[in-house]
Structures are given as C-alpha cells and as structure tokens.
Amino acid sequence: MAARTATTASVTSSLLVAAALSAGCSGGGNNTSSAEQGEPAGTPALSRAQAEQVLASYSDRANQAARRFNGTALSTIEADPQLSMDVAALKFRRAARQRAPKVEFTPTAYYIPRLTGYPHWFASAVVSGKGKQTLQYAMLFTQAREGAPWLLAAAPYSGEDVLNRVALAPDGTATPVRPDADGLAVPPERLPRAHAALLTEGPRASGAALLADGAKTSETYKALQQGEKTLAGRGVTLSSRFSTTPYGVYALRTKDRGALVWYVLKQNEAYSSSKPGALTVGGDLLGLAPARAATTRMDTTVLVQYLATVPPKGRAAVAAMYRKAVAVHGS
C-alpha cells in the first residue's frame, strides 16, 4: 500500500517471526530493588540453567510455528503484545508466500532479577543473523504465576547489545527498578506517555523534553510529518496518533545507577482518500485484510515495543524497538 511508505523512520518488518519467530509486558508490580530497600530483597526469578532451558525451548517451538505458519502454536510460548505482533508477521509471510528461514538465537548473557512477587521475569541478550544481518535482541520472558509457563514478553532489537549496561550483584543477579522509582531522569512509568506525546504532537508536547533526540523519537516525528505532506500530494489524508498501552513497564538497574526500561506504545493511523484505488492493503499490512478492503478510508493499529536507557540525570534515549502493524479496517 502506497500509504505505508509514510510511516515512521523505522518501518521495518524484520522481527523475530519474520526472521524466524520470536507478550505481555506488565508492570514491575511491587518488586523493589535491594538498593532501594538497603538490603537484599526477594529471590531470583529462576536459575541460570532454567533460563537457558526457557530460551532453548522457545527457540525450537518458535521455529516450528514459523515453518507451519501456525499462529495458534505461538500462544503457548508468547503473550500479548508479542503474540499479536508475531501472529501478524506470520500472516504477512503466508500472504507473501515467504517461508521463514530457521534462525538460531545465540544467547550472550542472562539478567535474572531478585523479585518479591509475580509476575516473575528475566531478560536475555540474544544475537540472531550473521554479518550485516546480525541483530541484538533484548528478550524479556515472564511467568504470570507459580506453575505458569514462561512466555516471551518483549523482544525489541537493535544493532548493539544494550543489555550489557545492566548492573550485576556479586551473586550475578540483576536489580529490578520500580515503575515509580525516583533518583532517575524520569520514572520508568512516565516514559510511555512522554514518548507518545512526542510522536503525536512533536517536541513541544508535554513531557517530550524527557526524551533525547534520535531516530526513534524526534526524527520519527519529522518523518511522519513529511509523510503526511507527501501523501497529501497524492490525494491521501493521513493522521497518526500514539498512545500508551495496558502492558506497563519493566526496568533493570544499570551500571551508571540509571535504568533500562521496556515499554509498549500503540499507533493508530487513519487514511482517507476520494481517489479510487488510492488505498490498498500492502507493504507491512499484507495479510491483515484483503488488498481491496478499503475504498475511501482505512484505519490501522500498530504496536511498538521500545527499550530505553534512563540516566540518573539528563534525558532518556531509546536504544531498541520492534514495530508491527496488527490490524486493518477499511470502508
């Protein structure tokens, strides 16, 4: 669809499912770091050996689901938002008649926090691909309650290992950071709203100054503005709005006493045109609806996962992301 060329600067369909395969990022709850309590708190979510088993099992079953275009199988290893994003990626591949190549995820480190309650969670730095195709994933797994399965909760990616900034205690565990933690440039729970405001309203929006300029913040906003102008010249009107989601945030303490924060935004795009044939379902929307589902109006829903670094002072910087359109409605 021509209209999709106007989306953010990071509109890429390379994701874990698209590369092979890669869920519900909920808040940090009442988990409090030992540094914030002044003494060790909680117990490790699981052992390193168990974390290795979780990742190995996930990799095997994700590749099986990708080979069979089986979105139902993903529900046993993922939860929203990752599940909806990867099911949409499978639909894209099926419609495009592209088989996902087998991908092996190579873990480089595990970050297991001490927690006082559920959900239990941990992160793993994972490498996929070779050469120029190499990507570094910050995979987040969660367990909703005792005895529940471990599910992939998020997998933002970039060209660098962002997780190597996480601080480790002498026993090798990581320190969780509360969503409302102070002592940071911005509490983790405020990041989603600030980021959504920046992408929707621009750098003068309330809270936008909390985020540093970059490809996933100010440059994305500029790209969207330029895209709207380009489409207007083709007789297509586009409006885009970002908002927070119910998936909450997860955060780990970094070596500089800052935090790494996972969070999710929703982007709603509305396209309209009086020109016949101007709106068609294609690009990264392929597989979500019939090509001619829209005639004069099309609304899309996109989920975007982010991983941001928050220093003790200064501005937060977005270091990794995973973006996927998950729904299309036309009229």
Side-chain angles (χ1 to χ4, degrees):
M1 178 190 69
R4 292 304 293 179
T5 61
T7 51
T8 72
S10 298
V11 180
T12 170
S13 292
S14 99
L15 25 140
L16 284 176
V17 154
L21 247 266
S22 72
C25 293
S26 60
N30 293 320
N31 297 325
T32 306
S33 73
S34 59
E36 291 163 334
Q37 290 284 12
E39 60 183 12
T43 56
L46 74 177
S47 68
R48 179 187 173 93
Q50 290 172 324
E52 292 173 347
Q53 292 174 356
V54 169
L55 180 60
S57 176
Y58 173 82
S59 300
D60 289 342
R61 294 165 69 183
N63 273 304
Q64 291 175 18
R67 287 197 304 270
R68 301 171 182 172
F69 300 109
N70 190 344
T72 301
L74 287 180
S75 64
T76 65
I77 56 175
E78 296 182 353
D80 278 328
Q82 189 78 24
L83 177 60
S84 292
M85 298 170 77
D86 284 347
V87 166
L90 280 185
K91 291 179 179 179
F92 171 88
R93 283 198 168 274
R94 183 187 293 112
R97 298 182 180 179
Q98 297 178 358
R99 282 205 167 273
K102 181 179 180 180
V103 173
E104 295 182 358
F105 306 123
T106 304
T108 59
Y110 293 90
Y111 300 91
I112 302 172
R114 286 182 169 273
L115 304 171
T116 57
Y118 284 90
H120 280 180
W121 56 280
F122 74 94
S124 177
V126 175
V127 178
S128 176
K130 297 180 180 179
K132 294 182 179 179
Q133 302 301 316
T134 299
L135 291 174
Q136 302 267 359
Y137 293 90
M139 299 178 74
L140 185 73
F141 289 90
T142 64
Q143 183 187 43
R145 58 188 179 279
E146 185 177 0
W150 283 95
L151 305 175
L152 184 67
Y157 55 84
S158 70
E160 62 175 320
D161 181 5
V162 183
L163 288 178
N164 65 8
R165 307 177 195 186
V166 174
L168 295 178
D171 64 357
T173 58
T175 300
V177 178
R178 291 178 59 96
D180 61 352
D182 55 16
L184 298 169
V186 53
E189 65 184 8
R190 288 186 58 192
L191 267 179
R193 188 174 299 279
H195 198 171
L198 169 60
L199 295 178
T200 302
E201 304 171 30
R204 295 185 178 180
S206 175
L210 296 172
L211 289 122
D213 293 339
K216 302 171 183 65
T217 53
S218 56
E219 291 179 25
T220 290
Y221 174 75
K222 293 177 183 178
L224 282 167
Q225 296 301 297
Q226 183 58 50
E228 291 180 11
K229 292 180 181 178
T230 300
L231 287 176
R234 302 174 186 172
V236 177
T237 299
L238 165 65
S239 63
S240 177
R241 184 169 188 82
F242 290 79
S243 59
T244 59
T245 66
Y247 305 118
V249 300
Y250 288 94
L252 289 174
R253 182 69 67 191
T254 52
K255 298 171 185 176
D256 65 353
R257 300 301 300 158
L260 272 178
V261 184
W262 286 262
Y263 59 96
V264 183
L265 296 183
K266 180 171 68 174
Q267 179 187 13
N268 291 107
E269 295 176 312
Y271 299 89
S272 61
S273 178
S274 59
K275 291 186 176 182
L279 300 179
T280 59
V281 177
D284 64 336
L285 297 176
L286 188 64
L288 296 179
R292 296 295 178 181
T295 54
T296 61
R297 182 178 177 85
M298 180 160 53
D299 299 308
T300 72
T301 301
V302 178
L303 294 178
V304 195
Q305 301 176 9
Y306 292 101
L307 180 62
T309 59
V310 181
K313 295 181 179 180
R315 296 198 290 174
V318 180
M321 67 176 287
Y322 167 28
R323 179 187 189 279
K324 187 69 186 79
V326 297
V328 179
H329 301 283
S331 60

